Amino acid sequence: MSRRALGAVSADRTMVSTGQAGDGAQGFVKRALGEVLGMIARHRQRRSLAALDDHLLRDVGLSRTEARREADKAFWQE
């Protein structure tokens, strides 16, 4: 099945409509893929956050403790 037939997943895990119904097995696959991609994105973002130095954390308004708390979350936690 083509990528267009399955729909495209945007970076924020929302499905981009292709004019097809999202019910049944195909809808399940789309939602599952969106969730997996979201988990991967969260994992990467948390790794990047943990790597920031204190100066950059201050720039985004976070303390080292807050950044560590977020970075320590499991990839499936939002």
Side-chain angles (χ1 to χ4, degrees):
M1 205 174 282
S2 72
R3 181 181 163 124
R4 183 172 173 84
L6 290 174
V9 179
S10 68
D12 64 356
R13 298 181 312 152
T14 58
M15 295 303 298
V16 178
S17 175
T18 59
Q20 297 180 5
D23 297 343
Q26 189 176 33
F28 172 78
V29 170
K30 287 180 183 180
R31 289 187 303 275
L33 179 60
E35 285 299 315
V36 169
L37 292 175
M39 289 179 192
I40 292 168
R42 275 194 300 276
H43 176 70
R44 287 179 179 161
Q45 291 167 6
R46 287 177 178 153
R47 267 194 332 207
S48 296
L49 182 64
L52 294 178
D53 63 21
D54 290 337
H55 173 75
L56 291 173
L57 287 172
R58 278 193 307 273
D59 283 351
V60 296
L62 293 174
S63 68
R64 171 63 52 198
T65 303
E66 292 167 323
R68 177 56 45 204
R69 187 177 307 127
E70 184 63 29
D72 286 344
K73 288 182 181 178
F75 65 90
W76 62 83
Q77 293 177 311
E78 290 192 28

